[in-house]
């Protein structure tokens, strides 16, 4: 087995599909374990939180983000660097309020739902991608920023786009935010 | 794209949460044997009460791996599905599938030419971050259950019914 390992295009696809398929199997399993949608959503968020707290270190190690001075810079980095790095998409960012603490990430393409046509019957309030919210929340908390992250719109529920809302809760303290996101 | 890292994190979290959910609460010694789901020879000091729940967790994880493996198998390029021999299929698993999923080839493949194959990976990516050596040996089967299911699922899409078990002698080597 000494053939040089070539990264054929189909390997890349398999690799990408693996994560998406595993996520799908996970959501299916959770739907079996919990009857209520809110419980599944909560569980996905909790798991995402756990992942996010560790993912942030991986992210910081791979990227060379500079020190951030504002929430909008942070949100831009999440959208343009982190999402691109891990999911291959770049959501667009909009600011929702004048005090610049509430932002939205608009995803018109969501790789996690690539194999999902519609939500299962009886699961109309399931937030399929709630893991993402948990990941963002966990990652931000590891850099001392408390935030509320939820889905504002979801294509799977019939909305036009998928929109994730990030609301920063505490005032950004310059001293605390060292060389981080 | 750092998909591999993302998958590893997701897998770790899945194992942690599903294990906690499906295992019975109680003395938390894992089902002793150095194996995946198959109860092998004499278990070493297992706690009777905990092992049913743990077996369920392992089979839940394995079942998820199976579904993913089946789906992955369906997405393989057409020419890889035209295998003539079982050995070719196993070679494919060791080289191409393992590379696609874990970015490395399997380290060795042995067979008794009677339907049993042993695939050995000396630095299994899902175990490599845990420990090196004998520490955490009891925890290792949890991390292998999903992958066993993955292999079984892919084999089933390629038309082969199989039973896949895993064993760990010392991290991060596994068979």
């Amino acid at each position: 087995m000494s053939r040089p390992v070539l990264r054929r295009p189909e390997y890349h696809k398999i690799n990408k599909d693996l994560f998406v398929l595993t996520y799908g199997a996970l959501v299916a399993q959770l739907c079996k374990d919990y009857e209520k949608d809110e419980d599944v959503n909560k569980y996905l968020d909790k798991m995402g939180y756990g992942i996010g707290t560790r993912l942030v270190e991986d992210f910081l190690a791979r990227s060379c983000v500079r020190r951030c001075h504002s929430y909008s810079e942070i949100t831009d980095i999440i959208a343009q660097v982190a999402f691109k790095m891990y999911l291959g998409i770049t959501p667009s960012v909009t600011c929702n309020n004048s005090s610049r603490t509430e932002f939205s990430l608009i995803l018109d393409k969501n790789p996690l739902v690539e194999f999902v046509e519609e939500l299962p019957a009886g699961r109309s309030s399931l937030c399929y991608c709630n893991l993402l919210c948990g990941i963002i929340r966990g990652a931000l908390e590891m850099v001392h920023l408390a935030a509320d992250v939820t889905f504002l719109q979801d294509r799977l529920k019939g909305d036009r786009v998928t929109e994730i809302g990030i609301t920063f809760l505490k005032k950004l303290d310059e001293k605390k935010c060292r060389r981080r996101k | 794209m750092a998909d591999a890292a993302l998958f590893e994190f997701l897998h770790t979290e899945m194992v942690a949460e599903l294990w906690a959910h499906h295992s019975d609460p109680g003395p938390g010694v894992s089902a002793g044997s150095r194996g995946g789901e198959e109860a092998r020879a004499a278990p070493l000091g297992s706690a009777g009460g905990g092992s049913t729940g743990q077996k369920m967790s392992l089979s839940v994880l394995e079942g998820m791996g199976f579904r993913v493996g089946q789906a992955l198998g369906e997405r393989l390029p057409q020419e890889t599905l035209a295998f003539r021999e079982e050995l070719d299929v196993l070679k494919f698993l060791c080289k191409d599938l393992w590379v696609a999923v874990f970015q490395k080839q399997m380290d060795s493949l042995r067979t008794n030419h009677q339907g049993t194959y042993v695939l050995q990976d000396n630095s299994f990516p899902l175990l490599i971050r845990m420990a090196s050596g004998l520490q955490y040996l009891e925890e290792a089967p949890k991390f292998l259950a999903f992958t066993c299911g993955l292999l079984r699922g892919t084999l089933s899409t390629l038309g082969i019914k199989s039973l896949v078990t895993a064993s760990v002698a010392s991290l991060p080597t596994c068979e």
Side-chain angles (χ1 to χ4, degrees), chain A residues 142-164:
Chain A
M142 287 308 282
V143 293
H144 309 294
L145 293 169
D148 249 341
V149 188
T150 51
F151 272 93
L152 298 174
Q153 291 192 73
D154 194 344
R155 255 232 180 100
L156 284 179
K157 294 185 187 161
D159 298 315
R160 226 176 18 92
V161 289
T162 303
E163 183 179 349
I164 301 179

PDB file of all heavy atoms in Angstrom, chain A residues 142-164:
ATOM      1  N   MET A 142     -16.222  31.263  25.254  1.00  0.00           N
ATOM      2  CA  MET A 142     -14.839  30.952  25.585  1.00  0.00           C
ATOM      3  C   MET A 142     -13.929  32.161  25.411  1.00  0.00           C
ATOM      4  O   MET A 142     -12.814  32.169  25.896  1.00  0.00           O
ATOM      5  CB  MET A 142     -14.312  29.811  24.715  1.00  0.00           C
ATOM      6  CG  MET A 142     -14.867  28.468  25.085  1.00  0.00           C
ATOM      7  SD  MET A 142     -14.707  28.082  26.824  1.00  0.00           S
ATOM      8  CE  MET A 142     -13.018  27.625  26.884  1.00  0.00           C
ATOM      9  N   VAL A 143     -14.406  33.147  24.659  1.00  0.00           N
ATOM     10  CA  VAL A 143     -13.611  34.361  24.561  1.00  0.00           C
ATOM     11  C   VAL A 143     -14.279  35.494  25.338  1.00  0.00           C
ATOM     12  O   VAL A 143     -14.199  36.653  24.986  1.00  0.00           O
ATOM     13  CB  VAL A 143     -13.345  34.758  23.087  1.00  0.00           C
ATOM     14  CG1 VAL A 143     -12.461  33.728  22.430  1.00  0.00           C
ATOM     15  CG2 VAL A 143     -14.616  34.926  22.298  1.00  0.00           C
ATOM     16  N   HIS A 144     -14.990  35.077  26.378  1.00  0.00           N
ATOM     17  CA  HIS A 144     -15.590  36.013  27.330  1.00  0.00           C
ATOM     18  C   HIS A 144     -16.649  36.924  26.765  1.00  0.00           C
ATOM     19  O   HIS A 144     -16.771  38.068  27.163  1.00  0.00           O
ATOM     20  CB  HIS A 144     -14.502  36.889  27.985  1.00  0.00           C
ATOM     21  CG  HIS A 144     -13.383  36.083  28.542  1.00  0.00           C
ATOM     22  ND1 HIS A 144     -13.526  35.229  29.604  1.00  0.00           N
ATOM     23  CD2 HIS A 144     -12.090  35.979  28.147  1.00  0.00           C
ATOM     24  CE1 HIS A 144     -12.379  34.642  29.848  1.00  0.00           C
ATOM     25  NE2 HIS A 144     -11.492  35.068  28.982  1.00  0.00           N
ATOM     26  N   LEU A 145     -17.399  36.415  25.807  1.00  0.00           N
ATOM     27  CA  LEU A 145     -18.494  37.224  25.275  1.00  0.00           C
ATOM     28  C   LEU A 145     -19.786  36.433  25.424  1.00  0.00           C
ATOM     29  O   LEU A 145     -19.922  35.351  24.874  1.00  0.00           O
ATOM     30  CB  LEU A 145     -18.276  37.521  23.788  1.00  0.00           C
ATOM     31  CG  LEU A 145     -17.099  38.411  23.471  1.00  0.00           C
ATOM     32  CD1 LEU A 145     -16.832  38.413  21.979  1.00  0.00           C
ATOM     33  CD2 LEU A 145     -17.374  39.830  23.936  1.00  0.00           C
ATOM     34  N   ALA A 146     -20.718  36.989  26.184  1.00  0.00           N
ATOM     35  CA  ALA A 146     -21.991  36.290  26.327  1.00  0.00           C
ATOM     36  C   ALA A 146     -22.911  36.719  25.201  1.00  0.00           C
ATOM     37  O   ALA A 146     -22.997  37.903  24.875  1.00  0.00           O
ATOM     38  CB  ALA A 146     -22.615  36.647  27.669  1.00  0.00           C
ATOM     39  N   ALA A 147     -23.578  35.740  24.603  1.00  0.00           N
ATOM     40  CA  ALA A 147     -24.468  36.089  23.495  1.00  0.00           C
ATOM     41  C   ALA A 147     -25.625  35.117  23.438  1.00  0.00           C
ATOM     42  O   ALA A 147     -25.528  33.982  23.874  1.00  0.00           O
ATOM     43  CB  ALA A 147     -23.706  36.059  22.174  1.00  0.00           C
ATOM     44  N   ASP A 148     -26.703  35.607  22.881  1.00  0.00           N
ATOM     45  CA  ASP A 148     -27.871  34.771  22.612  1.00  0.00           C
ATOM     46  C   ASP A 148     -27.871  34.484  21.133  1.00  0.00           C
ATOM     47  O   ASP A 148     -27.826  35.416  20.326  1.00  0.00           O
ATOM     48  CB  ASP A 148     -29.144  35.582  22.907  1.00  0.00           C
ATOM     49  CG  ASP A 148     -29.842  35.060  24.114  1.00  0.00           C
ATOM     50  OD1 ASP A 148     -29.581  33.912  24.510  1.00  0.00           O
ATOM     51  OD2 ASP A 148     -30.648  35.815  24.664  1.00  0.00           O
ATOM     52  N   VAL A 149     -27.930  33.211  20.780  1.00  0.00           N
ATOM     53  CA  VAL A 149     -27.900  32.894  19.348  1.00  0.00           C
ATOM     54  C   VAL A 149     -29.100  32.018  19.026  1.00  0.00           C
ATOM     55  O   VAL A 149     -29.286  30.970  19.628  1.00  0.00           O
ATOM     56  CB  VAL A 149     -26.608  32.123  18.990  1.00  0.00           C
ATOM     57  CG1 VAL A 149     -26.482  31.978  17.493  1.00  0.00           C
ATOM     58  CG2 VAL A 149     -25.397  32.821  19.559  1.00  0.00           C
ATOM     59  N   THR A 150     -29.927  32.488  18.128  1.00  0.00           N
ATOM     60  CA  THR A 150     -31.088  31.669  17.759  1.00  0.00           C
ATOM     61  C   THR A 150     -31.355  31.778  16.270  1.00  0.00           C
ATOM     62  O   THR A 150     -30.823  32.656  15.591  1.00  0.00           O
ATOM     63  CB  THR A 150     -32.383  32.156  18.455  1.00  0.00           C
ATOM     64  OG1 THR A 150     -32.503  33.544  18.224  1.00  0.00           O
ATOM     65  CG2 THR A 150     -32.383  31.856  19.928  1.00  0.00           C
ATOM     66  N   PHE A 151     -32.225  30.896  15.814  1.00  0.00           N
ATOM     67  CA  PHE A 151     -32.651  30.967  14.427  1.00  0.00           C
ATOM     68  C   PHE A 151     -33.816  31.930  14.308  1.00  0.00           C
ATOM     69  O   PHE A 151     -34.816  31.793  14.996  1.00  0.00           O
ATOM     70  CB  PHE A 151     -33.113  29.586  13.943  1.00  0.00           C
ATOM     71  CG  PHE A 151     -31.997  28.782  13.400  1.00  0.00           C
ATOM     72  CD1 PHE A 151     -31.315  27.909  14.214  1.00  0.00           C
ATOM     73  CD2 PHE A 151     -31.604  28.911  12.076  1.00  0.00           C
ATOM     74  CE1 PHE A 151     -30.258  27.172  13.728  1.00  0.00           C
ATOM     75  CE2 PHE A 151     -30.544  28.179  11.582  1.00  0.00           C
ATOM     76  CZ  PHE A 151     -29.864  27.301  12.410  1.00  0.00           C
ATOM     77  N   LEU A 152     -33.666  32.914  13.435  1.00  0.00           N
ATOM     78  CA  LEU A 152     -34.767  33.847  13.236  1.00  0.00           C
ATOM     79  C   LEU A 152     -35.630  33.409  12.062  1.00  0.00           C
ATOM     80  O   LEU A 152     -36.834  33.581  12.050  1.00  0.00           O
ATOM     81  CB  LEU A 152     -34.211  35.262  12.998  1.00  0.00           C
ATOM     82  CG  LEU A 152     -33.410  35.806  14.190  1.00  0.00           C
ATOM     83  CD1 LEU A 152     -32.775  37.139  13.850  1.00  0.00           C
ATOM     84  CD2 LEU A 152     -34.314  35.960  15.401  1.00  0.00           C
ATOM     85  N   GLN A 153     -34.980  32.862  11.062  1.00  0.00           N
ATOM     86  CA  GLN A 153     -35.738  32.328   9.926  1.00  0.00           C
ATOM     87  C   GLN A 153     -35.118  31.004   9.546  1.00  0.00           C
ATOM     88  O   GLN A 153     -33.925  30.802   9.720  1.00  0.00           O
ATOM     89  CB  GLN A 153     -35.615  33.265   8.716  1.00  0.00           C
ATOM     90  CG  GLN A 153     -36.315  34.592   8.856  1.00  0.00           C
ATOM     91  CD  GLN A 153     -36.361  35.291   7.513  1.00  0.00           C
ATOM     92  OE1 GLN A 153     -37.112  34.914   6.630  1.00  0.00           O
ATOM     93  NE2 GLN A 153     -35.515  36.297   7.352  1.00  0.00           N
ATOM     94  N   ASP A 154     -35.911  30.136   8.985  1.00  0.00           N
ATOM     95  CA  ASP A 154     -35.387  28.814   8.621  1.00  0.00           C
ATOM     96  C   ASP A 154     -36.023  28.366   7.312  1.00  0.00           C
ATOM     97  O   ASP A 154     -37.241  28.272   7.208  1.00  0.00           O
ATOM     98  CB  ASP A 154     -35.724  27.824   9.735  1.00  0.00           C
ATOM     99  CG  ASP A 154     -34.943  26.536   9.609  1.00  0.00           C
ATOM    100  OD1 ASP A 154     -34.372  26.274   8.536  1.00  0.00           O
ATOM    101  OD2 ASP A 154     -34.910  25.790  10.594  1.00  0.00           O
ATOM    102  N   ARG A 155     -35.178  28.096   6.334  1.00  0.00           N
ATOM    103  CA  ARG A 155     -35.700  27.668   5.018  1.00  0.00           C
ATOM    104  C   ARG A 155     -36.513  26.398   5.124  1.00  0.00           C
ATOM    105  O   ARG A 155     -37.476  26.200   4.403  1.00  0.00           O
ATOM    106  CB  ARG A 155     -34.519  27.386   4.088  1.00  0.00           C
ATOM    107  CG  ARG A 155     -34.293  28.429   3.087  1.00  0.00           C
ATOM    108  CD  ARG A 155     -34.207  27.844   1.697  1.00  0.00           C
ATOM    109  NE  ARG A 155     -33.985  28.916   0.759  1.00  0.00           N
ATOM    110  CZ  ARG A 155     -32.810  29.231   0.250  1.00  0.00           C
ATOM    111  NH1 ARG A 155     -31.759  28.522   0.548  1.00  0.00           N
ATOM    112  NH2 ARG A 155     -32.690  30.249  -0.576  1.00  0.00           N
ATOM    113  N   LEU A 156     -36.111  25.522   6.060  1.00  0.00           N
ATOM    114  CA  LEU A 156     -36.835  24.257   6.206  1.00  0.00           C
ATOM    115  C   LEU A 156     -38.250  24.476   6.705  1.00  0.00           C
ATOM    116  O   LEU A 156     -39.104  23.617   6.587  1.00  0.00           O
ATOM    117  CB  LEU A 156     -36.105  23.326   7.185  1.00  0.00           C
ATOM    118  CG  LEU A 156     -34.870  22.639   6.651  1.00  0.00           C
ATOM    119  CD1 LEU A 156     -34.254  21.784   7.738  1.00  0.00           C
ATOM    120  CD2 LEU A 156     -35.210  21.757   5.466  1.00  0.00           C
ATOM    121  N   LYS A 157     -38.479  25.628   7.315  1.00  0.00           N
ATOM    122  CA  LYS A 157     -39.827  25.888   7.803  1.00  0.00           C
ATOM    123  C   LYS A 157     -40.608  26.750   6.838  1.00  0.00           C
ATOM    124  O   LYS A 157     -41.667  27.255   7.166  1.00  0.00           O
ATOM    125  CB  LYS A 157     -39.754  26.592   9.161  1.00  0.00           C
ATOM    126  CG  LYS A 157     -39.166  25.707  10.229  1.00  0.00           C
ATOM    127  CD  LYS A 157     -39.225  26.382  11.574  1.00  0.00           C
ATOM    128  CE  LYS A 157     -38.484  25.543  12.583  1.00  0.00           C
ATOM    129  NZ  LYS A 157     -38.118  26.291  13.765  1.00  0.00           N
ATOM    130  N   GLY A 158     -40.042  26.987   5.671  1.00  0.00           N
ATOM    131  CA  GLY A 158     -40.811  27.723   4.676  1.00  0.00           C
ATOM    132  C   GLY A 158     -40.385  29.158   4.486  1.00  0.00           C
ATOM    133  O   GLY A 158     -40.910  29.856   3.627  1.00  0.00           O
ATOM    134  N   ASP A 159     -39.412  29.621   5.297  1.00  0.00           N
ATOM    135  CA  ASP A 159     -38.973  31.007   5.093  1.00  0.00           C
ATOM    136  C   ASP A 159     -38.097  31.089   3.850  1.00  0.00           C
ATOM    137  O   ASP A 159     -37.622  30.096   3.339  1.00  0.00           O
ATOM    138  CB  ASP A 159     -38.165  31.490   6.317  1.00  0.00           C
ATOM    139  CG  ASP A 159     -39.012  31.486   7.566  1.00  0.00           C
ATOM    140  OD1 ASP A 159     -40.155  31.963   7.486  1.00  0.00           O
ATOM    141  OD2 ASP A 159     -38.533  31.005   8.598  1.00  0.00           O
ATOM    142  N   ARG A 160     -37.860  32.323   3.441  1.00  0.00           N
ATOM    143  CA  ARG A 160     -37.088  32.513   2.207  1.00  0.00           C
ATOM    144  C   ARG A 160     -35.612  32.154   2.376  1.00  0.00           C
ATOM    145  O   ARG A 160     -34.977  31.612   1.494  1.00  0.00           O
ATOM    146  CB  ARG A 160     -37.206  33.985   1.786  1.00  0.00           C
ATOM    147  CG  ARG A 160     -37.497  34.176   0.309  1.00  0.00           C
ATOM    148  CD  ARG A 160     -37.708  35.633  -0.020  1.00  0.00           C
ATOM    149  NE  ARG A 160     -37.217  36.567   0.953  1.00  0.00           N
ATOM    150  CZ  ARG A 160     -36.003  37.109   0.939  1.00  0.00           C
ATOM    151  NH1 ARG A 160     -35.150  36.772   0.002  1.00  0.00           N
ATOM    152  NH2 ARG A 160     -35.635  37.970   1.881  1.00  0.00           N
ATOM    153  N   VAL A 161     -35.096  32.550   3.524  1.00  0.00           N
ATOM    154  CA  VAL A 161     -33.677  32.287   3.770  1.00  0.00           C
ATOM    155  C   VAL A 161     -33.538  31.708   5.165  1.00  0.00           C
ATOM    156  O   VAL A 161     -34.486  31.644   5.932  1.00  0.00           O
ATOM    157  CB  VAL A 161     -32.825  33.575   3.715  1.00  0.00           C
ATOM    158  CG1 VAL A 161     -32.705  34.089   2.316  1.00  0.00           C
ATOM    159  CG2 VAL A 161     -33.381  34.609   4.657  1.00  0.00           C
ATOM    160  N   THR A 162     -32.319  31.316   5.493  1.00  0.00           N
ATOM    161  CA  THR A 162     -32.059  30.881   6.859  1.00  0.00           C
ATOM    162  C   THR A 162     -31.289  31.990   7.542  1.00  0.00           C
ATOM    163  O   THR A 162     -30.276  32.462   7.032  1.00  0.00           O
ATOM    164  CB  THR A 162     -31.225  29.589   6.844  1.00  0.00           C
ATOM    165  OG1 THR A 162     -31.931  28.618   6.092  1.00  0.00           O
ATOM    166  CG2 THR A 162     -31.003  29.075   8.246  1.00  0.00           C
ATOM    167  N   GLU A 163     -31.789  32.438   8.671  1.00  0.00           N
ATOM    168  CA  GLU A 163     -31.178  33.579   9.330  1.00  0.00           C
ATOM    169  C   GLU A 163     -30.866  33.230  10.778  1.00  0.00           C
ATOM    170  O   GLU A 163     -31.732  32.756  11.519  1.00  0.00           O
ATOM    171  CB  GLU A 163     -32.155  34.753   9.289  1.00  0.00           C
ATOM    172  CG  GLU A 163     -31.601  36.031   9.890  1.00  0.00           C
ATOM    173  CD  GLU A 163     -32.602  37.180   9.815  1.00  0.00           C
ATOM    174  OE1 GLU A 163     -33.617  37.024   9.114  1.00  0.00           O
ATOM    175  OE2 GLU A 163     -32.381  38.209  10.476  1.00  0.00           O
ATOM    176  N   ILE A 164     -29.613  33.445  11.162  1.00  0.00           N
ATOM    177  CA  ILE A 164     -29.205  33.210  12.547  1.00  0.00           C
ATOM    178  C   ILE A 164     -29.009  34.552  13.202  1.00  0.00           C
ATOM    179  O   ILE A 164     -28.264  35.393  12.698  1.00  0.00           O
ATOM    180  CB  ILE A 164     -27.879  32.433  12.602  1.00  0.00           C
ATOM    181  CG1 ILE A 164     -28.035  31.090  11.895  1.00  0.00           C
ATOM    182  CG2 ILE A 164     -27.441  32.223  14.038  1.00  0.00           C
ATOM    183  CD1 ILE A 164     -26.764  30.277  11.880  1.00  0.00           C
TER     184      ILE A 164
END
